Amino acid sequence: MTAPDGPAARPCVFGTPDSVYVRIVRLTLAEKGVDHDLVPVDPFAPEGLPPSYGERHPFGRIPAFEHDGFRLYETGAITRYVDEAFAGAPLLPAEVRARARANQIISIADSYAYRALVWGVYVERVEKPAQGVPSDEARLVGALAEARQCLAAIAALMAGAPYLAGNELSLADLYLAPMVDYVRQAPEGAELLAAHPGLAAWWARMAARPSLNQLGLCAA
Ligand SMILES: N[C@@H](CCC(=O)N[C@@H](CS)C(=O)NCC(=O)O)C(=O)O
C-alpha cells in the first residue's frame, strides 16, 4: 500500500540518533526506502524536554513521529504504520505463524533485551567507564545473566533461519539489531553473541545492510 497522501509527505522522527528506539524507527524507514527528518529531542538533556513535547508524547519518551499531520508515538505502532503506509517489501511475514514469531521476538526485545543488553551491559561496562563514572558491578553481573538468557531464547527461536523470524528481514530484526550493536561493544557481550553461531552470523548479515551503515551502527 502506498501512503494515502502520496510519496511527497516526508515523515519526521523526534529524538536523538543514539537512542535504540529512535534507531528502530529510522531503520524501518530506511528499509522501506522512505526519507525522513530527525528533529532533535533529548530526554536526558540537563534542561529536560521542551514543555511542548508533551503534546507529542505524554510519557516523555523518544521517539515521537509525524507524517503529513498524523502524529504517533510508541515504536511498535510507528514501525507497523510505516510498514503498511509505504511501498516496499513488507516487514512482517504474511504467514500467520511466522508473523506470530516476529511479534514474539519484538516483545522479547522490548520486555527483556532492551534493559539487559543496553542499560545493564552496555551502559555499565562501556558508557559509564568512558565517562569516568564507576560501574555498578552487581547490576552488570545480573544484566549479563539476563542478556545470556535473551540471546539463548532468540537463537532457539531463529531455529537456523537467516533472519530472526524466517527467511526474510522483518521488524524483529530491526528491533534487535540496535540492541545487539550496543551489547557487542562490551567484551562480555561480544562473547555472549559468539556463543550462538547462528545469531553471530545473523549479526554479520545485518551489519552489512546499508540501512545500518547509514545510521552509523556497527561502525566500531
Ligand atoms: N515504549 C516506548 C519506549 C521508548 C523508550 O524507552 N525510549 C527511551 C530512549 S531509547 C527514552 O525515551 N528514555 C527516556 C526516559 O526513560 O526517560 C516505545 O516503544 O517507543
Side-chain angles (χ1 to χ4, degrees), residues 98 101-102 104-105 108 150-168 170 172-173 176 180 193 196-206:
R101 193 63 81 209
Q104 180 184 21
I105 292 170
I108 293 170
C150 286
L151 296 185
I154 292 170
L157 293 172
M158 261 180 101
Y163 293 100
L164 298 183
N167 290 326
E168 308 295 338
S170 77
D173 303 293
L176 196 68
V180 166
L193 186 62
H196 298 285
L199 207 49
W202 164 83
W203 171 248
R205 212 169 283 124
M206 293 302 292

Side-chain angles (χ1 to χ4, degrees), residues 58-149:
F59 301 98
R61 300 293 179 93
I62 52 172
F65 176 86
E66 182 166 341
H67 177 223
D68 198 35
F70 178 58
R71 291 183 176 193
L72 204 52
Y73 60 88
E74 288 302 301
T75 301
I78 299 166
T79 51
R80 286 169 177 86
Y81 170 79
V82 169
D83 188 28
E84 292 181 23
F86 294 95
L91 291 172
L92 280 174
E95 198 275 320
V96 64
R97 292 187 178 184
R99 192 163 65 254
R101 193 63 81 209
N103 284 323
Q104 180 184 21
I105 292 170
I106 289 169
S107 194
I108 293 170
D110 261 338
S111 306
Y112 315 115
Y114 173 61
R115 288 269 143 213
L117 275 59
V118 180
W119 287 97
V121 179
Y122 170 77
V123 170
E124 294 298 339
R125 183 71 171 87
V126 180
E127 193 173 293
K128 281 188 175 179
Q131 294 172 347
V133 177
S135 302
D136 179 337
E137 290 299 328
R139 186 180 185 199
L140 175 60
V141 169
L144 282 168
E146 288 171 24
R148 183 177 294 109
Q149 187 184 17

